[in-house]
Amino acid sequence: GNMGVYNTATYGGKLYISGASVIEYDPIAKTATTLENPEADCPLIAFYRERMFLAGKDNLWFASRAWNISDFSFSDDSGDVSQPVAGRVDFGKITAMFPIQDRALVLATDRSIWLMNGDPVAGGTLQQISNEVGMISYCVTPEGLVVFLANYGLYLWQPGAGIPTPFSAEAIPAEMRDVDATTNYVSMVYDHENRNVSLFVSPAVGRGKHWLVDLKNKALWPMQFAADRQPVVAASFGGRAIIAGMDGYL
């Protein structure tokens, strides 16, 4: 598969994975369906204000019709506040996109962070949070704390309460700086049971660098996996951390 940061999202009890296409997984029926209409080749997916958002191939984002996530037919009907919509951010390709409940949607490049407040058609606004720190990978705690990997290392951010701050005053491992998401599989996941974060950086061949992020004690603990089981993508589903490895197993 392609290297980089892959995104999953849940909506209506189903799991969605975006890449060359959007795949809908139904955990009850245990079926996987490729959706036909969404914008193609967008590795980032999120659901916000009853819309499916797709991004990640450049600086553009695309949003479906509200309440109809398979409708991406754009029009010029100014009176239709539920219509599909697209927009852009500055400072490069979008590398992260996720909602903060239904209050706001975070959009980030590798050197900027933006916050969409409200619905993009019905009077919503796009606010720039940073033009220096961006996101390579991220996860969000149940309290809404965003833990993310930037070019300068690990950061914490509470949207709506200031700017991102470094995870620790201590030195961040050199392997956490300037991580290349084009040559590594990069993912982060929050473990609800143990209340910590896992960060995985896996190259195509060999062993990667992985850490357990202890939020309470502001500590980092290295983790190891077998060479053929390096994590490719991780997601939180039903309160549990699910990790897909290079061996094709969860």
Side-chain angles (χ1 to χ4, degrees), residues 175-212:
E175 296 92 342
M176 271 193 188
R177 298 177 180 271
D178 296 315
V179 172
D180 189 346
T182 64
T183 59
N184 293 279
Y185 296 102
V186 186
S187 59
M188 298 178 69
V189 64
Y190 180 79
D191 185 337
H192 291 254
E193 183 176 350
N194 298 304
R195 299 183 65 81
N196 54 39
V197 170
S198 295
L199 167 60
F200 307 109
V201 181
S202 301
V205 179
R207 296 177 185 269
K209 298 291 185 179
H210 318 296
W211 293 270
L212 183 70

PDB file of all heavy atoms in Angstrom, residues 175-212:
ATOM      1  N   GLU A 175      14.163  10.671  17.038  1.00  0.00           N
ATOM      2  CA  GLU A 175      13.368   9.915  16.071  1.00  0.00           C
ATOM      3  C   GLU A 175      11.951  10.460  15.942  1.00  0.00           C
ATOM      4  O   GLU A 175      11.236  10.112  15.003  1.00  0.00           O
ATOM      5  CB  GLU A 175      13.295   8.440  16.481  1.00  0.00           C
ATOM      6  CG  GLU A 175      14.633   7.719  16.484  1.00  0.00           C
ATOM      7  CD  GLU A 175      15.288   7.780  17.858  1.00  0.00           C
ATOM      8  OE1 GLU A 175      14.900   8.638  18.678  1.00  0.00           O
ATOM      9  OE2 GLU A 175      16.196   6.972  18.108  1.00  0.00           O
ATOM     10  N   MET A 176      11.527  11.320  16.889  1.00  0.00           N
ATOM     11  CA  MET A 176      10.195  11.918  16.823  1.00  0.00           C
ATOM     12  C   MET A 176      10.182  13.222  16.036  1.00  0.00           C
ATOM     13  O   MET A 176       9.127  13.774  15.786  1.00  0.00           O
ATOM     14  CB  MET A 176       9.674  12.199  18.235  1.00  0.00           C
ATOM     15  CG  MET A 176       8.919  11.066  18.865  1.00  0.00           C
ATOM     16  SD  MET A 176       8.060  11.630  20.334  1.00  0.00           S
ATOM     17  CE  MET A 176       7.466  10.076  20.980  1.00  0.00           C
ATOM     18  N   ARG A 177      11.335  13.709  15.647  1.00  0.00           N
ATOM     19  CA  ARG A 177      11.416  14.973  14.922  1.00  0.00           C
ATOM     20  C   ARG A 177      11.523  14.718  13.419  1.00  0.00           C
ATOM     21  O   ARG A 177      12.191  13.780  12.982  1.00  0.00           O
ATOM     22  CB  ARG A 177      12.616  15.795  15.396  1.00  0.00           C
ATOM     23  CG  ARG A 177      12.549  16.197  16.863  1.00  0.00           C
ATOM     24  CD  ARG A 177      13.805  16.935  17.274  1.00  0.00           C
ATOM     25  NE  ARG A 177      13.768  17.333  18.674  1.00  0.00           N
ATOM     26  CZ  ARG A 177      13.267  18.476  19.123  1.00  0.00           C
ATOM     27  NH1 ARG A 177      12.747  19.326  18.254  1.00  0.00           N
ATOM     28  NH2 ARG A 177      13.264  18.758  20.400  1.00  0.00           N
ATOM     29  N   ASP A 178      10.841  15.567  12.649  1.00  0.00           N
ATOM     30  CA  ASP A 178      10.925  15.506  11.189  1.00  0.00           C
ATOM     31  C   ASP A 178      10.629  14.104  10.649  1.00  0.00           C
ATOM     32  O   ASP A 178      11.328  13.590   9.764  1.00  0.00           O
ATOM     33  CB  ASP A 178      12.309  15.966  10.711  1.00  0.00           C
ATOM     34  CG  ASP A 178      12.568  17.424  11.056  1.00  0.00           C
ATOM     35  OD1 ASP A 178      11.667  18.254  10.836  1.00  0.00           O
ATOM     36  OD2 ASP A 178      13.669  17.732  11.562  1.00  0.00           O
ATOM     37  N   VAL A 179       9.587  13.472  11.171  1.00  0.00           N
ATOM     38  CA  VAL A 179       9.166  12.159  10.679  1.00  0.00           C
ATOM     39  C   VAL A 179       8.604  12.311   9.264  1.00  0.00           C
ATOM     40  O   VAL A 179       7.749  13.161   9.013  1.00  0.00           O
ATOM     41  CB  VAL A 179       8.107  11.533  11.608  1.00  0.00           C
ATOM     42  CG1 VAL A 179       7.547  10.260  10.987  1.00  0.00           C
ATOM     43  CG2 VAL A 179       8.719  11.234  12.975  1.00  0.00           C
ATOM     44  N   ASP A 180       9.093  11.516   8.353  1.00  0.00           N
ATOM     45  CA  ASP A 180       8.668  11.586   6.951  1.00  0.00           C
ATOM     46  C   ASP A 180       7.488  10.633   6.733  1.00  0.00           C
ATOM     47  O   ASP A 180       7.650   9.411   6.726  1.00  0.00           O
ATOM     48  CB  ASP A 180       9.829  11.206   6.039  1.00  0.00           C
ATOM     49  CG  ASP A 180       9.525  11.458   4.571  1.00  0.00           C
ATOM     50  OD1 ASP A 180       8.341  11.670   4.235  1.00  0.00           O
ATOM     51  OD2 ASP A 180      10.467  11.434   3.765  1.00  0.00           O
ATOM     52  N   ALA A 181       6.303  11.204   6.553  1.00  0.00           N
ATOM     53  CA  ALA A 181       5.099  10.386   6.373  1.00  0.00           C
ATOM     54  C   ALA A 181       4.993   9.808   4.973  1.00  0.00           C
ATOM     55  O   ALA A 181       4.071   9.043   4.697  1.00  0.00           O
ATOM     56  CB  ALA A 181       3.854  11.216   6.683  1.00  0.00           C
ATOM     57  N   THR A 182       5.924  10.143   4.073  1.00  0.00           N
ATOM     58  CA  THR A 182       5.909   9.553   2.738  1.00  0.00           C
ATOM     59  C   THR A 182       6.733   8.267   2.682  1.00  0.00           C
ATOM     60  O   THR A 182       6.625   7.498   1.729  1.00  0.00           O
ATOM     61  CB  THR A 182       6.437  10.534   1.676  1.00  0.00           C
ATOM     62  OG1 THR A 182       7.817  10.819   1.932  1.00  0.00           O
ATOM     63  CG2 THR A 182       5.640  11.831   1.701  1.00  0.00           C
ATOM     64  N   THR A 183       7.568   8.034   3.691  1.00  0.00           N
ATOM     65  CA  THR A 183       8.388   6.823   3.728  1.00  0.00           C
ATOM     66  C   THR A 183       8.099   5.963   4.958  1.00  0.00           C
ATOM     67  O   THR A 183       8.746   4.942   5.168  1.00  0.00           O
ATOM     68  CB  THR A 183       9.892   7.174   3.709  1.00  0.00           C
ATOM     69  OG1 THR A 183      10.201   8.006   4.837  1.00  0.00           O
ATOM     70  CG2 THR A 183      10.251   7.911   2.432  1.00  0.00           C
ATOM     71  N   ASN A 184       7.132   6.385   5.779  1.00  0.00           N
ATOM     72  CA  ASN A 184       6.744   5.635   6.970  1.00  0.00           C
ATOM     73  C   ASN A 184       5.230   5.581   7.086  1.00  0.00           C
ATOM     74  O   ASN A 184       4.530   6.504   6.652  1.00  0.00           O
ATOM     75  CB  ASN A 184       7.294   6.300   8.246  1.00  0.00           C
ATOM     76  CG  ASN A 184       8.797   6.250   8.353  1.00  0.00           C
ATOM     77  OD1 ASN A 184       9.373   5.241   8.756  1.00  0.00           O
ATOM     78  ND2 ASN A 184       9.451   7.351   7.989  1.00  0.00           N
ATOM     79  N   TYR A 185       4.724   4.505   7.689  1.00  0.00           N
ATOM     80  CA  TYR A 185       3.330   4.451   8.114  1.00  0.00           C
ATOM     81  C   TYR A 185       3.281   5.092   9.503  1.00  0.00           C
ATOM     82  O   TYR A 185       3.938   4.613  10.427  1.00  0.00           O
ATOM     83  CB  TYR A 185       2.837   3.008   8.199  1.00  0.00           C
ATOM     84  CG  TYR A 185       2.814   2.269   6.887  1.00  0.00           C
ATOM     85  CD1 TYR A 185       3.814   1.354   6.560  1.00  0.00           C
ATOM     86  CD2 TYR A 185       1.774   2.455   5.984  1.00  0.00           C
ATOM     87  CE1 TYR A 185       3.782   0.660   5.354  1.00  0.00           C
ATOM     88  CE2 TYR A 185       1.729   1.767   4.780  1.00  0.00           C
ATOM     89  CZ  TYR A 185       2.741   0.875   4.475  1.00  0.00           C
ATOM     90  OH  TYR A 185       2.698   0.191   3.287  1.00  0.00           O
ATOM     91  N   VAL A 186       2.526   6.169   9.636  1.00  0.00           N
ATOM     92  CA  VAL A 186       2.475   6.905  10.897  1.00  0.00           C
ATOM     93  C   VAL A 186       1.056   6.900  11.441  1.00  0.00           C
ATOM     94  O   VAL A 186       0.117   7.258  10.719  1.00  0.00           O
ATOM     95  CB  VAL A 186       2.940   8.369  10.705  1.00  0.00           C
ATOM     96  CG1 VAL A 186       3.032   9.076  12.054  1.00  0.00           C
ATOM     97  CG2 VAL A 186       4.281   8.430   9.985  1.00  0.00           C
ATOM     98  N   SER A 187       0.887   6.483  12.686  1.00  0.00           N
ATOM     99  CA  SER A 187      -0.450   6.495  13.272  1.00  0.00           C
ATOM    100  C   SER A 187      -0.364   6.643  14.786  1.00  0.00           C
ATOM    101  O   SER A 187       0.637   6.287  15.407  1.00  0.00           O
ATOM    102  CB  SER A 187      -1.229   5.227  12.899  1.00  0.00           C
ATOM    103  OG  SER A 187      -0.552   4.078  13.340  1.00  0.00           O
ATOM    104  N   MET A 188      -1.444   7.178  15.357  1.00  0.00           N
ATOM    105  CA  MET A 188      -1.573   7.331  16.802  1.00  0.00           C
ATOM    106  C   MET A 188      -2.964   6.871  17.204  1.00  0.00           C
ATOM    107  O   MET A 188      -3.917   7.007  16.441  1.00  0.00           O
ATOM    108  CB  MET A 188      -1.370   8.797  17.219  1.00  0.00           C
ATOM    109  CG  MET A 188      -0.004   9.348  16.909  1.00  0.00           C
ATOM    110  SD  MET A 188       0.175  11.103  17.361  1.00  0.00           S
ATOM    111  CE  MET A 188       0.142  10.995  19.161  1.00  0.00           C
ATOM    112  N   VAL A 189      -3.073   6.340  18.428  1.00  0.00           N
ATOM    113  CA  VAL A 189      -4.375   5.874  18.898  1.00  0.00           C
ATOM    114  C   VAL A 189      -4.453   6.046  20.414  1.00  0.00           C
ATOM    115  O   VAL A 189      -3.458   5.874  21.120  1.00  0.00           O
ATOM    116  CB  VAL A 189      -4.627   4.402  18.498  1.00  0.00           C
ATOM    117  CG1 VAL A 189      -3.628   3.460  19.169  1.00  0.00           C
ATOM    118  CG2 VAL A 189      -6.051   3.979  18.817  1.00  0.00           C
ATOM    119  N   TYR A 190      -5.644   6.419  20.890  1.00  0.00           N
ATOM    120  CA  TYR A 190      -5.875   6.538  22.333  1.00  0.00           C
ATOM    121  C   TYR A 190      -6.491   5.247  22.847  1.00  0.00           C
ATOM    122  O   TYR A 190      -7.464   4.743  22.283  1.00  0.00           O
ATOM    123  CB  TYR A 190      -6.807   7.717  22.629  1.00  0.00           C
ATOM    124  CG  TYR A 190      -7.095   7.895  24.107  1.00  0.00           C
ATOM    125  CD1 TYR A 190      -6.155   8.507  24.942  1.00  0.00           C
ATOM    126  CD2 TYR A 190      -8.290   7.441  24.666  1.00  0.00           C
ATOM    127  CE1 TYR A 190      -6.405   8.661  26.293  1.00  0.00           C
ATOM    128  CE2 TYR A 190      -8.548   7.599  26.024  1.00  0.00           C
ATOM    129  CZ  TYR A 190      -7.602   8.215  26.832  1.00  0.00           C
ATOM    130  OH  TYR A 190      -7.847   8.362  28.175  1.00  0.00           O
ATOM    131  N   ASP A 191      -5.905   4.710  23.913  1.00  0.00           N
ATOM    132  CA  ASP A 191      -6.393   3.492  24.548  1.00  0.00           C
ATOM    133  C   ASP A 191      -7.270   3.890  25.733  1.00  0.00           C
ATOM    134  O   ASP A 191      -6.780   4.346  26.760  1.00  0.00           O
ATOM    135  CB  ASP A 191      -5.210   2.640  25.017  1.00  0.00           C
ATOM    136  CG  ASP A 191      -5.643   1.299  25.588  1.00  0.00           C
ATOM    137  OD1 ASP A 191      -6.803   1.175  26.021  1.00  0.00           O
ATOM    138  OD2 ASP A 191      -4.807   0.376  25.613  1.00  0.00           O
ATOM    139  N   HIS A 192      -8.595   3.742  25.580  1.00  0.00           N
ATOM    140  CA  HIS A 192      -9.531   4.162  26.623  1.00  0.00           C
ATOM    141  C   HIS A 192      -9.349   3.358  27.910  1.00  0.00           C
ATOM    142  O   HIS A 192      -9.520   3.885  29.007  1.00  0.00           O
ATOM    143  CB  HIS A 192     -10.975   4.023  26.127  1.00  0.00           C
ATOM    144  CG  HIS A 192     -11.330   5.004  25.060  1.00  0.00           C
ATOM    145  ND1 HIS A 192     -12.143   6.088  25.286  1.00  0.00           N
ATOM    146  CD2 HIS A 192     -10.968   5.086  23.756  1.00  0.00           C
ATOM    147  CE1 HIS A 192     -12.281   6.782  24.171  1.00  0.00           C
ATOM    148  NE2 HIS A 192     -11.581   6.199  23.223  1.00  0.00           N
ATOM    149  N   GLU A 193      -9.021   2.093  27.784  1.00  0.00           N
ATOM    150  CA  GLU A 193      -8.899   1.237  28.968  1.00  0.00           C
ATOM    151  C   GLU A 193      -7.718   1.637  29.837  1.00  0.00           C
ATOM    152  O   GLU A 193      -7.823   1.716  31.058  1.00  0.00           O
ATOM    153  CB  GLU A 193      -8.774  -0.223  28.537  1.00  0.00           C
ATOM    154  CG  GLU A 193      -8.712  -1.194  29.699  1.00  0.00           C
ATOM    155  CD  GLU A 193      -8.678  -2.643  29.259  1.00  0.00           C
ATOM    156  OE1 GLU A 193      -8.897  -2.903  28.055  1.00  0.00           O
ATOM    157  OE2 GLU A 193      -8.442  -3.511  30.117  1.00  0.00           O
ATOM    158  N   ASN A 194      -6.577   1.896  29.205  1.00  0.00           N
ATOM    159  CA  ASN A 194      -5.361   2.231  29.958  1.00  0.00           C
ATOM    160  C   ASN A 194      -5.085   3.730  30.020  1.00  0.00           C
ATOM    161  O   ASN A 194      -4.125   4.153  30.663  1.00  0.00           O
ATOM    162  CB  ASN A 194      -4.161   1.507  29.337  1.00  0.00           C
ATOM    163  CG  ASN A 194      -4.305  -0.003  29.408  1.00  0.00           C
ATOM    164  OD1 ASN A 194      -4.486  -0.555  30.481  1.00  0.00           O
ATOM    165  ND2 ASN A 194      -4.243  -0.662  28.252  1.00  0.00           N
ATOM    166  N   ARG A 195      -5.900   4.521  29.318  1.00  0.00           N
ATOM    167  CA  ARG A 195      -5.809   5.979  29.337  1.00  0.00           C
ATOM    168  C   ARG A 195      -4.412   6.471  28.948  1.00  0.00           C
ATOM    169  O   ARG A 195      -3.811   7.318  29.623  1.00  0.00           O
ATOM    170  CB  ARG A 195      -6.229   6.536  30.701  1.00  0.00           C
ATOM    171  CG  ARG A 195      -7.665   6.203  31.072  1.00  0.00           C
ATOM    172  CD  ARG A 195      -8.069   6.822  32.394  1.00  0.00           C
ATOM    173  NE  ARG A 195      -8.071   8.273  32.337  1.00  0.00           N
ATOM    174  CZ  ARG A 195      -9.057   9.005  31.832  1.00  0.00           C
ATOM    175  NH1 ARG A 195     -10.124   8.418  31.322  1.00  0.00           N
ATOM    176  NH2 ARG A 195      -8.986  10.317  31.842  1.00  0.00           N
ATOM    177  N   ASN A 196      -3.902   5.915  27.849  1.00  0.00           N
ATOM    178  CA  ASN A 196      -2.642   6.399  27.315  1.00  0.00           C
ATOM    179  C   ASN A 196      -2.708   6.407  25.795  1.00  0.00           C
ATOM    180  O   ASN A 196      -3.705   6.003  25.197  1.00  0.00           O
ATOM    181  CB  ASN A 196      -1.460   5.572  27.832  1.00  0.00           C
ATOM    182  CG  ASN A 196      -1.643   4.084  27.571  1.00  0.00           C
ATOM    183  OD1 ASN A 196      -2.139   3.685  26.519  1.00  0.00           O
ATOM    184  ND2 ASN A 196      -1.245   3.249  28.532  1.00  0.00           N
ATOM    185  N   VAL A 197      -1.651   6.882  25.175  1.00  0.00           N
ATOM    186  CA  VAL A 197      -1.596   7.023  23.717  1.00  0.00           C
ATOM    187  C   VAL A 197      -0.451   6.184  23.166  1.00  0.00           C
ATOM    188  O   VAL A 197       0.622   6.115  23.779  1.00  0.00           O
ATOM    189  CB  VAL A 197      -1.400   8.508  23.331  1.00  0.00           C
ATOM    190  CG1 VAL A 197      -1.092   8.657  21.839  1.00  0.00           C
ATOM    191  CG2 VAL A 197      -2.621   9.323  23.718  1.00  0.00           C
ATOM    192  N   SER A 198      -0.678   5.537  22.038  1.00  0.00           N
ATOM    193  CA  SER A 198       0.387   4.828  21.347  1.00  0.00           C
ATOM    194  C   SER A 198       0.717   5.562  20.052  1.00  0.00           C
ATOM    195  O   SER A 198      -0.187   5.983  19.325  1.00  0.00           O
ATOM    196  CB  SER A 198      -0.026   3.389  21.033  1.00  0.00           C
ATOM    197  OG  SER A 198      -0.217   2.652  22.221  1.00  0.00           O
ATOM    198  N   LEU A 199       2.001   5.717  19.775  1.00  0.00           N
ATOM    199  CA  LEU A 199       2.483   6.354  18.548  1.00  0.00           C
ATOM    200  C   LEU A 199       3.328   5.343  17.790  1.00  0.00           C
ATOM    201  O   LEU A 199       4.275   4.772  18.348  1.00  0.00           O
ATOM    202  CB  LEU A 199       3.315   7.592  18.883  1.00  0.00           C
ATOM    203  CG  LEU A 199       4.159   8.198  17.751  1.00  0.00           C
ATOM    204  CD1 LEU A 199       3.291   8.647  16.583  1.00  0.00           C
ATOM    205  CD2 LEU A 199       4.985   9.368  18.283  1.00  0.00           C
ATOM    206  N   PHE A 200       2.966   5.116  16.522  1.00  0.00           N
ATOM    207  CA  PHE A 200       3.667   4.128  15.701  1.00  0.00           C
ATOM    208  C   PHE A 200       4.277   4.800  14.469  1.00  0.00           C
ATOM    209  O   PHE A 200       3.592   5.534  13.753  1.00  0.00           O
ATOM    210  CB  PHE A 200       2.709   3.035  15.235  1.00  0.00           C
ATOM    211  CG  PHE A 200       1.936   2.378  16.351  1.00  0.00           C
ATOM    212  CD1 PHE A 200       0.573   2.615  16.490  1.00  0.00           C
ATOM    213  CD2 PHE A 200       2.569   1.543  17.262  1.00  0.00           C
ATOM    214  CE1 PHE A 200      -0.151   2.006  17.506  1.00  0.00           C
ATOM    215  CE2 PHE A 200       1.859   0.935  18.286  1.00  0.00           C
ATOM    216  CZ  PHE A 200       0.501   1.166  18.418  1.00  0.00           C
ATOM    217  N   VAL A 201       5.562   4.538  14.225  1.00  0.00           N
ATOM    218  CA  VAL A 201       6.247   5.012  13.021  1.00  0.00           C
ATOM    219  C   VAL A 201       6.937   3.803  12.403  1.00  0.00           C
ATOM    220  O   VAL A 201       7.954   3.330  12.909  1.00  0.00           O
ATOM    221  CB  VAL A 201       7.271   6.114  13.343  1.00  0.00           C
ATOM    222  CG1 VAL A 201       7.949   6.594  12.050  1.00  0.00           C
ATOM    223  CG2 VAL A 201       6.604   7.289  14.054  1.00  0.00           C
ATOM    224  N   SER A 202       6.361   3.276  11.305  1.00  0.00           N
ATOM    225  CA  SER A 202       6.846   2.022  10.719  1.00  0.00           C
ATOM    226  C   SER A 202       7.335   2.245   9.294  1.00  0.00           C
ATOM    227  O   SER A 202       6.569   2.674   8.430  1.00  0.00           O
ATOM    228  CB  SER A 202       5.722   0.980  10.693  1.00  0.00           C
ATOM    229  OG  SER A 202       5.224   0.727  11.996  1.00  0.00           O
ATOM    230  N   PRO A 203       8.600   1.922   9.007  1.00  0.00           N
ATOM    231  CA  PRO A 203       9.081   1.990   7.621  1.00  0.00           C
ATOM    232  C   PRO A 203       8.569   0.791   6.828  1.00  0.00           C
ATOM    233  O   PRO A 203       8.013  -0.150   7.393  1.00  0.00           O
ATOM    234  CB  PRO A 203      10.605   1.939   7.789  1.00  0.00           C
ATOM    235  CG  PRO A 203      10.792   1.126   9.042  1.00  0.00           C
ATOM    236  CD  PRO A 203       9.641   1.484   9.943  1.00  0.00           C
ATOM    237  N   ALA A 204       8.761   0.817   5.517  1.00  0.00           N
ATOM    238  CA  ALA A 204       8.286  -0.280   4.671  1.00  0.00           C
ATOM    239  C   ALA A 204       9.009  -1.580   4.981  1.00  0.00           C
ATOM    240  O   ALA A 204       8.429  -2.661   4.899  1.00  0.00           O
ATOM    241  CB  ALA A 204       8.458   0.077   3.198  1.00  0.00           C
ATOM    242  N   VAL A 205      10.274  -1.483   5.342  1.00  0.00           N
ATOM    243  CA  VAL A 205      11.088  -2.668   5.637  1.00  0.00           C
ATOM    244  C   VAL A 205      11.787  -2.465   6.973  1.00  0.00           C
ATOM    245  O   VAL A 205      12.295  -1.378   7.264  1.00  0.00           O
ATOM    246  CB  VAL A 205      12.129  -2.919   4.522  1.00  0.00           C
ATOM    247  CG1 VAL A 205      12.989  -4.139   4.863  1.00  0.00           C
ATOM    248  CG2 VAL A 205      11.445  -3.109   3.174  1.00  0.00           C
ATOM    249  N   GLY A 206      11.822  -3.514   7.775  1.00  0.00           N
ATOM    250  CA  GLY A 206      12.528  -3.433   9.049  1.00  0.00           C
ATOM    251  C   GLY A 206      11.646  -2.939  10.186  1.00  0.00           C
ATOM    252  O   GLY A 206      10.437  -2.788  10.049  1.00  0.00           O
ATOM    253  N   ARG A 207      12.282  -2.680  11.316  1.00  0.00           N
ATOM    254  CA  ARG A 207      11.576  -2.250  12.508  1.00  0.00           C
ATOM    255  C   ARG A 207      11.463  -0.730  12.576  1.00  0.00           C
ATOM    256  O   ARG A 207      12.393  -0.022  12.195  1.00  0.00           O
ATOM    257  CB  ARG A 207      12.299  -2.752  13.767  1.00  0.00           C
ATOM    258  CG  ARG A 207      12.325  -4.271  13.898  1.00  0.00           C
ATOM    259  CD  ARG A 207      13.121  -4.662  15.131  1.00  0.00           C
ATOM    260  NE  ARG A 207      13.266  -6.106  15.244  1.00  0.00           N
ATOM    261  CZ  ARG A 207      12.417  -6.886  15.894  1.00  0.00           C
ATOM    262  NH1 ARG A 207      11.364  -6.343  16.492  1.00  0.00           N
ATOM    263  NH2 ARG A 207      12.615  -8.189  15.968  1.00  0.00           N
ATOM    264  N   GLY A 208      10.335  -0.277  13.079  1.00  0.00           N
ATOM    265  CA  GLY A 208      10.136   1.154  13.246  1.00  0.00           C
ATOM    266  C   GLY A 208      10.404   1.595  14.669  1.00  0.00           C
ATOM    267  O   GLY A 208      10.945   0.848  15.488  1.00  0.00           O
ATOM    268  N   LYS A 209      10.033   2.814  14.965  1.00  0.00           N
ATOM    269  CA  LYS A 209      10.154   3.389  16.303  1.00  0.00           C
ATOM    270  C   LYS A 209       8.742   3.636  16.824  1.00  0.00           C
ATOM    271  O   LYS A 209       7.945   4.321  16.174  1.00  0.00           O
ATOM    272  CB  LYS A 209      10.935   4.696  16.250  1.00  0.00           C
ATOM    273  CG  LYS A 209      12.370   4.554  15.746  1.00  0.00           C
ATOM    274  CD  LYS A 209      13.234   3.810  16.747  1.00  0.00           C
ATOM    275  CE  LYS A 209      14.695   3.786  16.283  1.00  0.00           C
ATOM    276  NZ  LYS A 209      15.572   3.091  17.267  1.00  0.00           N
ATOM    277  N   HIS A 210       8.442   3.081  17.990  1.00  0.00           N
ATOM    278  CA  HIS A 210       7.094   3.176  18.540  1.00  0.00           C
ATOM    279  C   HIS A 210       7.178   3.553  20.018  1.00  0.00           C
ATOM    280  O   HIS A 210       8.111   3.135  20.719  1.00  0.00           O
ATOM    281  CB  HIS A 210       6.362   1.841  18.380  1.00  0.00           C
ATOM    282  CG  HIS A 210       6.582   1.187  17.055  1.00  0.00           C
ATOM    283  ND1 HIS A 210       6.159   1.764  15.874  1.00  0.00           N
ATOM    284  CD2 HIS A 210       7.210   0.031  16.710  1.00  0.00           C
ATOM    285  CE1 HIS A 210       6.498   0.979  14.860  1.00  0.00           C
ATOM    286  NE2 HIS A 210       7.138  -0.075  15.340  1.00  0.00           N
ATOM    287  N   TRP A 211       6.189   4.330  20.473  1.00  0.00           N
ATOM    288  CA  TRP A 211       6.220   4.786  21.861  1.00  0.00           C
ATOM    289  C   TRP A 211       4.840   4.681  22.511  1.00  0.00           C
ATOM    290  O   TRP A 211       3.805   4.902  21.849  1.00  0.00           O
ATOM    291  CB  TRP A 211       6.657   6.249  21.945  1.00  0.00           C
ATOM    292  CG  TRP A 211       8.065   6.500  21.544  1.00  0.00           C
ATOM    293  CD1 TRP A 211       9.179   6.491  22.323  1.00  0.00           C
ATOM    294  CD2 TRP A 211       8.530   6.834  20.224  1.00  0.00           C
ATOM    295  NE1 TRP A 211      10.295   6.789  21.581  1.00  0.00           N
ATOM    296  CE2 TRP A 211       9.923   6.995  20.292  1.00  0.00           C
ATOM    297  CE3 TRP A 211       7.880   6.991  18.996  1.00  0.00           C
ATOM    298  CZ2 TRP A 211      10.698   7.330  19.194  1.00  0.00           C
ATOM    299  CZ3 TRP A 211       8.642   7.313  17.884  1.00  0.00           C
ATOM    300  CH2 TRP A 211      10.040   7.483  17.988  1.00  0.00           C
ATOM    301  N   LEU A 212       4.840   4.403  23.800  1.00  0.00           N
ATOM    302  CA  LEU A 212       3.663   4.550  24.642  1.00  0.00           C
ATOM    303  C   LEU A 212       3.774   5.916  25.297  1.00  0.00           C
ATOM    304  O   LEU A 212       4.780   6.229  25.941  1.00  0.00           O
ATOM    305  CB  LEU A 212       3.618   3.460  25.708  1.00  0.00           C
ATOM    306  CG  LEU A 212       2.380   3.461  26.611  1.00  0.00           C
ATOM    307  CD1 LEU A 212       1.154   3.041  25.816  1.00  0.00           C
ATOM    308  CD2 LEU A 212       2.587   2.527  27.803  1.00  0.00           C
TER     309      LEU A 212
END
